[in-house]
Amino acid sequence: KGMAGVGIALPQDAMAAATNPAGMALVGSRMDVGLDVFMPARDTTISGNGAGLNGSYDGDGRDKFFVPDFGFNRMVNPNLAIGVSVYGNGGMNTTYEKSPFAAWGVTGTTGVDLTQLFIAPTVAYKITPDHAVGISLNLAHQRFSAYGLQPFAMMSSDPTKLTNKGEDSSSGWGVRIGWTGRMSDMVTLGATYQSKTKMGKFKDYAGLFADGGDFDIPANYGVGIAVKATPKLTIAADVQQIDYSGVPAVGNSMAVLMSGVPLGGANGPGFGWRDMTVFKLGASYAVNDKLTVRGGLSFGRQPIPSSEVTFNMLAPGVIENHLTLGATWQLGDGKELSVAYMHGFEKTVSGGLPPGMPPAGFGGGTADLRMHQNSLGVAFGWRF
């Protein structure tokens, strides 16, 4: 994290399987446990609306999230590693205590809450002294709730399973495979692919998500390079592709409503997110035998088109650029302490609200979606 998430060709701990399972064959026997405090700031401003929605709306009713992680890896022999990585794969939350839909009679809070947990048992093997392959079985569990979405009821295939149903959950699985190869004393390469994770349906929200509550986790894949520029300095970069379009609930446009397909319908409307390419660049410098410092940048075009702001007031994932800093202190006896800080720079996406969307009108105007983020994490590692 201190290197902006770079890791496809640069495994550093027992969380390596979250990025590239082949790396588990290279980190040795160790255990890692960490906790991250994630602090997003998100808000929406509506102007020029003819249906009474104008105003500024703060989505930070809940502004701190605690995200733990755990990794364990054991070298069964010099070439074979077996381990497990447990981590939060993603999520989204908005909590508008002042509802953007109050003019339509919504009282109380409007928002959504999504969390995803991965448990990834992993096997990695060195096929030669310089090349390793690995595979993880991604066992996934996710939870979701939505509230204050009553104005969308007339657009739903099942208004009784659209909003205010409390927390629902689903489970599923997928796989991640990877390769890492040392091409020279200076250069290491890596590649990884994670399949779409097929999840069970959110049955309590069958009138919200496409195909009666389907909400799979999209496939992603990437390549990486790590260069040992000097004995103390390592520079690494990853390129990652995320296929949001492969999940209808995420990738389908709200414009599907115009063709008569309701929320929750077969191949129905979603958030309209585009596929995303993410570029990550990081550096690690060993100051001395006890201290290593890190920094990184991550950037890419955010996934929400300006035409999709209506539904994405609930999920304004608009950030494009991140800066990270980190450090690790060696404590002795194979123990180490790491910290990492991340800042996601503020980004605004503006788009028009439709003057009418059958069977309800939105009154036109413009919605501005904004977000920035900070996080601070600490982790303890133990090599054995």
Side-chain angles (χ1 to χ4, degrees), residues 27 40-41 66 165 194 205 226 243 247 249 285 290 305 338 373 378-379:
V27 300
F66 296 91
K165 301 298 293 182
Q194 178 178 296
Y205 291 93
D243 287 344
V247 178
Y285 185 78
K290 298 293 185 181
S338 296
Q373 301 171 344
V378 61

Side-chain angles (χ1 to χ4, degrees), residues 107-373:
T107 58
T109 302
T110 288
V112 298
D113 189 55
L114 171 70
T115 59
Q116 294 175 341
L117 171 72
F118 270 32
I119 301 173
T122 301
V123 176
Y125 185 74
K126 292 182 184 177
I127 53 178
T128 74
D130 294 325
H131 295 265
V133 294
I135 183 170
S136 296
L137 175 64
N138 290 333
L139 304 174
H141 182 76
Q142 58 184 2
R143 297 181 297 179
F144 177 79
S145 59
Y147 29 92
L149 307 186
Q150 292 89 335
F152 292 90
M154 289 186 293
M155 306 175 190
S156 174
S157 60
D158 187 350
T160 67
K161 295 184 178 180
L162 171 74
T163 187
N164 295 70
K165 301 298 293 182
E167 186 176 83
D168 197 4
S169 63
S170 70
S171 299
W173 66 278
V175 297
R176 180 185 284 276
I177 58 175
W179 160 81
T180 299
R182 189 175 69 174
M183 313 310 292
S184 70
D185 290 341
M186 289 182 61
V187 178
T188 301
L189 301 179
T192 185
Y193 172 81
Q194 178 178 296
S195 70
K196 180 166 71 173
T197 306
K198 181 64 178 176
M199 305 297 292
K201 293 185 177 184
F202 287 127
K203 295 181 180 178
D204 290 342
Y205 291 93
L208 176 62
F209 293 128
D211 301 308
D214 259 359
F215 200 97
D216 295 336
I217 299 171
N220 69 81
Y221 46 92
V223 295
I225 182 172
V227 178
K228 191 80 170 177
T230 74
K232 291 178 175 291
L233 175 65
T234 299
I235 299 172
D238 290 350
V239 180
Q240 182 185 31
Q241 179 76 8
I242 308 172
D243 287 344
Y244 291 120
S245 63
V247 178
V250 179
N252 281 5
S253 171
M254 280 293 285
V256 172
L257 280 169
M258 303 302 290
S259 62
V261 182
L263 292 168
N267 203 29
F271 289 92
W273 283 28
R274 299 174 293 223
D275 294 342
M276 190 173 184
T277 304
V278 184
F279 301 89
K280 307 175 185 181
L281 177 66
S284 172
Y285 185 78
V287 178
N288 52 46
D289 291 341
K290 298 293 185 181
L291 174 64
T292 298
V293 296
R294 302 182 180 88
L297 294 168
S298 170
F299 51 94
R301 186 179 71 160
Q302 62 83 30
I304 300 173
S306 60
S307 59
E308 299 292 338
V309 296
T310 304
F311 217 32
N312 280 289
M313 288 187 279
L314 302 172
V318 298
I319 289 183
E320 295 184 332
N321 302 312
H322 300 79
L323 168 70
T324 68
L325 300 170
T328 295
W329 290 268
Q330 301 297 329
L331 306 177
D333 296 324
K335 299 177 178 64
E336 61 188 40
L337 179 69
S338 296
V339 296
Y341 167 76
M342 179 275 293
H343 177 71
F345 293 92
E346 183 173 293
K347 172 69 176 178
T348 300
V349 172
S350 300
L353 296 173
M357 183 178 287
F362 275 85
T366 300
D368 299 327
L369 313 182
R370 279 179 298 273
M371 182 186 284
H372 67 269
Q373 301 171 344

Side-chain angles (χ1 to χ4, degrees), residues 25 28-29 74-82 124-126:
S29 295
R74 177 173 288 278
M75 300 301 299
V76 177
N77 60 49
N79 296 318
L80 177 64
I82 297 177
Y125 185 74
K126 292 182 184 177

